């Protein structure tokens, strides 16, 4: 990887994470700027996306950059058999940075090894989703005032949920306690449990989603069961509605507890939870703009000091 790729949290330091949070805070104060005027951001989405793609494109637009790319690989030369290597090399002729989502695990890593311009991983299969993780960390810090010593309950599809995989890796610096709540078929993969064990990260596994578990949480992170990852649709039907968060389950929750979700949701959070003060997933999605503004600037070598000194702020 080049110095300024944003592909995984595996090697990201504690200091870098806190630095990125400070950078995102600057963009929350003033999201509209011309600091990227003259730059081009390419968004290559080989899988469907709403929030990730639109927030990357909005981030680029609000910072004065232009956006190119595709939201459906069928509308590109991929449909003619063009390889990922050739697509990356061609697009790098036209763009200063590439944000890419791909259905194959490791695709972003591969792209970073061949691309002459920075690569941002916007999700690769069931592997990692580091830009979502960055906005999750920002949201956790925003709501808790810290990332330290938190009880984090991860619920639902922990096998294929790339967002929870990234979050486990990123939180290793901050002494978390995790509760992994999933049916056996969707349990946290062994590699991530081994990752926790090797680094002294406390975790417990549960198959029951109870009010007692919720009452211990500072962060309740819900996930949907991802139909698109299943080869056996009968297995999907068995587990798709196994955990549903209802508002009355939050009666014993800590005052500071927030319910997060990477979205989209299907049935795993009842609609009446939206009105509960613990619900924070809509604000979480909004934070994607600030986090991705920070990511784009960081990979382009624009520093926190540059942003703080920026005079291109557009008010309103």
């Amino acid at each position: 990887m080049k110095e300024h790729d944003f592909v995984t949290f595996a090697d990201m330091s504690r200091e870098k994470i806190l630095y990125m949070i400070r950078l995102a805070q600057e963009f929350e104060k003033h999201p509209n700027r011309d600091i990227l005027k003259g730059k081009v951001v390419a968004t290559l989405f080989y899988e469907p996306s709403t929030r990730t793609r639109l927030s990357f494109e909005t981030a680029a637009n609000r910072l004065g950059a232009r956006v190119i790319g595709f939201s459906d690989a069928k509308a590109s030369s991929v449909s003619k058999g063009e390889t990922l290597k050739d697509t990356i090399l061609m697009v790098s002729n036209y763009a200063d940075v590439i944000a890419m989502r791909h259905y194959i695990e490791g695709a972003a890593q591969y792209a970073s090894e061949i691309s002459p311009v920075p690569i941002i991983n916007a999700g690769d299969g069931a592997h990692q989703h580091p830009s979502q993780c960055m906005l999750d960390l920002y949201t956790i810090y925003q709501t808790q005032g810290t990332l330290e010593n938190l009880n984090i309950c991860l619920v639902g599809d922990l096998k294929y949920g790339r967002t929870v995989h990234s979050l486990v890796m990123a939180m290793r610096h901050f002494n978390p306690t995790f509760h992994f709540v999933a049916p056996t078929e969707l349990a946290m993969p062994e590699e991530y449990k081994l990752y926790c064990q090797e680094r002294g990260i406390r975790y417990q596994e549960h198959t029951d989603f109870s009010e007692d578990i919720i009452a211990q949480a500072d962060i309740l992170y819900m996930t949907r069961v991802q139909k698109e990852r299943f080869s056996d649709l009968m297995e999907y039907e068995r587990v798709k509605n196994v955990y549903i968060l209802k508002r009355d389950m939050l009666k014993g929750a800590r005052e500071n507890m927030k319910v997060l979700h990477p979205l989209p949701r299907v049935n795993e959070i009842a609609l009446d939870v939206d009105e509960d003060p613990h619900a924070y997933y809509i604000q979480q999605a909004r934070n994607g703009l600030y986090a991705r503004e920070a990511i784009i600037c960081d990979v382009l070598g624009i520093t926190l000091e540059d942003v703080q000194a920026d005079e291109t702020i557009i008010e309103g």
Side-chain angles (χ1 to χ4, degrees):
M1 288 189 298
K2 296 171 291 303
E3 181 181 355
H4 290 298
D5 292 313
F6 195 87
V7 172
T8 177
F9 270 87
D11 300 319
M12 191 173 294
S13 69
R14 169 193 172 87
E15 291 72 25
K16 180 68 172 184
I17 290 171
L18 296 174
Y19 168 85
M20 292 298 291
I21 287 174
R22 292 196 299 274
L23 192 54
Q25 287 174 325
E26 291 297 318
F27 287 118
E28 183 171 11
K29 294 175 188 175
H30 299 289
N32 300 319
R33 304 166 182 258
D34 268 342
I35 199 169
L36 294 185
K37 188 174 182 179
K39 299 293 185 181
V40 176
V41 176
T43 55
L44 309 185
F45 278 72
Y46 290 79
E47 278 190 322
S49 171
T50 300
R51 277 148 300 278
T52 302
R53 181 176 64 84
L54 292 181
S55 62
F56 265 119
E57 294 182 358
T58 301
N61 281 308
R62 288 190 180 274
L63 295 179
R66 297 180 182 179
V67 178
I68 63 172
F70 55 78
S71 59
D72 183 351
K74 294 178 182 177
S76 75
S77 290
V78 175
S79 64
K80 302 175 184 177
E82 184 171 76
T83 65
L84 176 60
K85 177 181 179 180
D86 284 355
T87 297
I88 293 296
L89 292 177
M90 290 305 101
V91 174
S92 66
N93 287 324
Y94 316 132
D96 299 287
V97 57
I98 297 172
M100 184 184 78
R101 169 169 291 185
H102 204 281
Y103 51 87
I104 296 178
E105 296 185 16
Q109 176 69 39
Y110 173 72
S112 74
E113 292 168 357
I114 61 172
S115 174
V117 302
I119 295 292
I120 300 171
N121 183 3
D124 60 331
H127 185 222
Q128 296 283 320
H129 198 345
S131 72
Q132 175 71 43
C133 186
M134 193 66 248
L135 77 91
D136 291 342
L137 292 170
Y138 184 63
T139 302
I140 293 169
Y141 187 89
Q142 183 184 65
T143 61
Q144 306 300 312
T146 184
L147 296 178
E148 301 282 357
N149 305 314
L150 297 175
N151 284 287
I152 301 175
C153 184
L154 306 177
V155 182
D157 185 350
L158 308 187
K159 179 179 181 180
Y160 299 115
R162 55 193 172 198
T163 65
V164 296
H165 300 161
S166 291
L167 190 58
V168 166
M169 296 181 74
M171 287 299 296
R172 71 189 183 278
H173 300 297
F174 303 102
N175 194 37
T177 298
F178 284 110
H179 293 268
F180 299 150
V181 183
T184 303
E185 300 93 327
L186 297 176
M188 184 65 75
E190 289 298 322
E191 65 181 288
Y192 292 101
K193 289 188 283 187
L194 182 61
Y195 184 91
C196 289
Q197 292 164 17
E198 290 174 343
R199 289 158 180 81
I201 300 172
R202 296 180 298 276
Y203 72 88
Q204 298 178 27
E205 292 189 273
H206 313 267
T207 54
D208 291 330
F209 183 37
S210 68
E211 293 180 30
D212 288 341
I213 291 174
I214 294 172
Q216 299 177 53
D218 297 301
I219 295 294
L220 177 59
Y221 195 102
M222 302 294 297
T223 67
R224 72 182 174 94
V225 177
Q226 302 179 67
K227 183 177 182 179
E228 65 270 24
R229 307 292 177 204
F230 283 77
S231 56
D232 183 349
L233 289 182
M234 291 297 291
E235 182 181 353
Y236 168 75
E237 290 296 327
R238 283 197 304 272
V239 298
K240 67 177 183 179
N241 292 323
V242 66
Y243 304 131
I244 299 176
L245 178 64
K246 299 177 181 177
R247 189 170 186 177
D248 61 4
M249 298 172 68
L250 299 172
K251 294 194 298 288
R254 297 175 177 178
E255 184 176 352
N256 65 296
M257 192 276 281
K258 296 300 179 187
V259 181
L260 305 186
H261 192 307
L263 302 175
R265 68 170 159 186
V266 185
N267 300 317
E268 60 277 0
I269 299 179
L271 293 177
D272 64 351
V273 175
D274 295 357
E275 309 306 319
D276 192 280
H278 293 100
Y280 208 77
Y281 29 89
I282 302 303
Q283 297 94 322
Q284 175 190 4
R286 182 179 62 205
N287 286 339
L289 170 62
Y290 316 129
R292 289 177 174 121
E293 285 184 317
I295 291 167
I296 293 171
C297 284
D298 184 63
V299 300
L300 288 172
I302 297 171
T303 67
L304 176 62
E305 291 74 20
D306 294 333
V307 174
Q308 290 172 333
D310 177 34
E311 296 181 354
T312 69
I313 293 170
I314 301 170
E315 299 295 348

